[in-house]
Amino acid sequence: FPTETAAILLKALLEEGSGFASDLRNAYKSLTRDKMLAPLYAEPRLEPIFRIVDWVYATPTSLHVRNPSGGSTVLSSENGTRQGDPFGMLLFCLGIKAAIAAGLEAGGSNVKAVAVADDVNFVGPADGRAATRATAAFIQACRPLELSFRGDKSALNFLEATLHQETLDFAHE
């Protein structure tokens, strides 16, 4: 659903709870293609797009970069979605779906996830502990995907909560 709808839902959930907004470093470029394609091929409902996605992503892309002296260098693009690809967001979201599920499981039944691509938010009770547990598990599940957490662009948001220091300890690991 659109970003605006996600923002409205997130605001409503935060009115009685706390939420951890997380950001992933260079997420679209960092997720390996095999990690995006495996969940796609595991989803039979998406079979109609298998051939075109395979055609676009099965082999690395040669990127030709011109240098100031007039020559050029060829780089091989093997990770991430392709710029402008209409399937890019779908593939990225499928690639991190299991990591979000790991966060939800760790957070418990009172935690909800609101995500728009790489902007993943976990919302839970006002003390912040469940949302932080969910975020810590999400971050841990992102490591095998070669995605890294950006603490400087992430935040615990709450309206009325008593935050305990151990809630944020995972961010320093």
Side-chain angles (χ1 to χ4, degrees):
F1 48 83
T3 304
E4 183 178 339
T5 304
I8 291 167
L9 175 60
L10 186 58
K11 182 179 181 297
L13 289 170
L14 282 172
E15 286 180 5
E16 294 185 15
S18 63
F20 206 115
S22 62
D23 187 69
L24 300 169
R25 180 174 281 109
N26 295 322
Y28 282 92
K29 293 187 282 184
S30 300
L31 187 61
T32 60
R33 291 186 179 159
D34 63 316
K35 300 290 195 280
M36 292 186 302
L37 295 177
L40 170 75
Y41 297 137
E43 188 60 56
R45 295 177 299 163
L46 297 175
E47 188 173 351
I49 67 169
F50 287 2
R51 282 183 64 195
I52 193 163
V53 169
D54 193 50
W55 177 69
V56 173
Y57 286 100
T59 58
T61 305
S62 295
L63 303 174
H64 299 270
V65 180
R66 294 182 190 231
N67 59 43
S69 65
S72 66
T73 302
V74 178
L75 302 174
S76 180
S77 173
E78 300 173 15
N79 286 349
T81 61
R82 293 188 175 184
Q83 185 71 30
D85 176 25
F87 294 116
M89 184 177 285
L90 171 66
L91 294 173
F92 180 81
C93 291
L94 287 169
I96 67 167
K97 183 179 176 183
I100 293 171
L104 287 169
E105 184 177 338
S109 62
N110 291 329
V111 172
K112 307 277 186 273
V114 178
V116 177
D118 65 332
D119 295 320
V120 180
N121 302 271
F122 292 99
V123 181
D127 69 2
R129 287 186 168 119
T132 304
R133 263 194 327 272
T135 303
F138 170 69
I139 292 166
Q140 187 67 29
C142 283
R143 287 186 179 135
L145 301 175
E146 299 179 36
L147 296 174
S148 59
F149 174 72
R150 286 199 59 177
D152 63 321
K153 290 185 75 179
S154 302
L156 181 64
N157 301 297
F158 55 94
L159 297 179
E160 293 184 34
T162 303
L163 185 61
H164 302 279
Q165 181 56 45
E166 67 270 12
T167 303
L168 297 176
D169 285 345
F170 78 89
H172 300 290
E173 295 175 359

